[in-house]
Amino acid sequence: MFNKITLGLVIIGALNWLTIGLFGFDMVGALFGGQMALLSRIVYTLVGLSGLWCITFYFSHNAVNQTH
């Protein structure tokens, strides 16, 4: 369950970067009161920590078996 939550947060981060890249629009900042708003910074932090956690997917037993 924890892995699914972190993966969901990484997807939110990826979609946010997509909107920044294509449209110059920060979706998270717009939804939560600007880039420096506390709630936005919490979301950014959770997305970043989730990204770090998802690095462990490369080393998990399931990921190794799927590549061979």
Side-chain angles (χ1 to χ4, degrees):
M1 183 66 166
F2 181 73
N3 287 344
K4 288 182 181 183
I5 292 169
T6 58
L7 186 57
L9 284 166
V10 168
I11 291 168
I12 289 169
L15 292 173
N16 192 53
W17 278 110
L18 178 66
T19 61
I20 291 170
L22 292 178
F23 309 113
F25 178 70
D26 180 359
M27 182 173 49
V28 171
L31 289 173
F32 298 110
Q35 290 181 341
M36 294 308 292
L38 179 61
L39 195 51
S40 293
R41 293 179 63 191
I42 291 170
V43 172
Y44 296 140
T45 301
L46 289 174
V47 167
L49 291 172
S50 295
L52 291 175
W53 179 257
C54 286
I55 292 171
T56 65
F57 295 172
Y58 283 110
F59 305 105
S60 72
H61 182 70
N62 292 334
V64 172
N65 286 339
Q66 291 174 359
T67 59
H68 294 295

